[in-house]
Amino acid sequence: MKGFTKEIKIALVAIVGIVVLFFGMNFLKGVNLFSSGNTYYITFNNISGLSGSSPIKADGYKVGTVTDINYDFEHPGVIEVEVDIDKEFKIPNGTIAEISSDLLGNVQIDLVKGLPMEGYVQPMGKIEGRINGGALAQLKEMVPHVERLLPKIDSILTSVNYIMADPALPSTLHHAEQVTYDLTSTTKQINSLMATVNKEVPGLMGKAGGVLDHANNAMGSVVNVTDNLSGKISQLDLESTLNELHTTLANLKSFTETLNNSNGSLGLLMKDRSVYDNLNSTMAHADSLLVNLRENPKRYVHFSVFGKKDKKEK
């Protein structure tokens, strides 16, 4: 260092400082200047805040970084992003690169891998890119719905404030507390009643079984009585009873024929007009005789206490 002048020493220190600053800044940005990864190109129509040194992740693991971003001025709307991917990571065909951001605004590229059976993207190849808004995009989609809900929320809050300002609310809450206490007491009583019922159920079931047994015995007795009655009925001499009934009907028929016969006494009495007339005339004379006897009894009956006749009677 003795051969260097003061100016040369200052220049060397400045150059070393610039180099250290350059490497330090890239290190802080996450850019590895000595990386031996593979280079790929991703095309976007909007990079949504993506910058150099932004991380590239697959399944949440960092596999590379963004090294350069180029805007195609000849074809507006096409942005080509150069990325450096670890050589050990193979990118299947059909993989899509999505730009996503978190709530803090940090932007990264997520690789949505395709199927390995379709082959792999070769180094210096192109990958399709798109934007995934992530949580911020979901919040943006929710904003219109929230704006529509705000008037309803305001109306609900107004109603709540009106209810809360009602002086009857404390009294209602007090009654609700009393109702809750009553319900708790009622529940305890019901539980006690159910416990008593559960204890009594086995005995009741036993008594019910005994009643059913008695009922079965009674039914058996009824069946026996029915069987005995059927046997008694079957033992009756139905044929002799029918014969006697037939004889009775025959006698009744003979009696009827006798009445209808004009030669018999009963037939003549019932059918001969002269017999009826004579009998009627006899009854009339007898009636006349009884009337005369009642009016003039002395004409037919003569008696005296002293054994003499009445001189006045002729």
Side-chain angles (χ1 to χ4, degrees), residues 100-112:
S100 62
S101 57
D102 55 21
L103 295 175
L104 298 178
N106 299 320
V107 182
Q108 66 183 26
I109 295 178
D110 293 323
L111 297 178
V112 181

Side-chain angles (χ1 to χ4, degrees), residues 118-221:
E118 296 179 358
Y120 297 94
V121 180
Q122 298 300 320
M124 306 300 293
K126 292 187 176 182
I127 303 173
E128 180 183 357
R130 66 186 181 189
I131 296 177
N132 181 1
L136 291 177
Q138 294 178 0
L139 289 175
K140 291 179 181 178
E141 293 178 357
M142 292 175 62
V143 168
H145 300 286
V146 173
E147 290 178 350
R148 288 195 295 268
L149 288 174
L150 286 177
K152 297 181 180 180
I153 294 174
D154 182 67
S155 177
I156 293 172
L157 291 176
T158 302
S159 301
V160 171
N161 290 332
Y162 176 77
I163 294 173
M164 296 299 294
D166 192 344
L169 182 61
S171 177
T172 302
L173 294 176
H174 176 72
H175 290 302
E177 182 180 1
Q178 182 64 32
V179 169
T180 303
Y181 175 77
D182 294 339
L183 287 175
T184 303
S185 178
T186 303
T187 303
K188 292 180 180 179
Q189 294 177 1
I190 292 174
N191 291 333
S192 177
L193 178 61
M194 291 302 297
T196 304
V197 170
N198 291 332
K199 292 180 181 179
E200 297 294 335
V201 163
L204 293 175
M205 292 300 293
K207 294 180 180 179
V211 171
L212 290 176
D213 292 337
H214 290 301
N216 291 330
N217 295 332
M219 290 299 296
S221 300

Side-chain angles (χ1 to χ4, degrees), residues 74-117:
E74 295 181 359
H75 303 87
V78 177
I79 302 174
E80 187 177 70
V81 177
E82 180 181 334
V83 297
D84 182 73
I85 304 296
D86 193 330
K87 287 184 178 182
E88 299 297 330
F89 183 75
K90 304 295 182 183
I91 303 177
N93 287 328
T95 298
I96 298 176
E98 291 185 345
I99 296 177
S100 62
S101 57
D102 55 21
L103 295 175
L104 298 178
N106 299 320
V107 182
Q108 66 183 26
I109 295 178
D110 293 323
L111 297 178
V112 181
K113 295 183 294 182
L115 299 176
M117 62 185 65

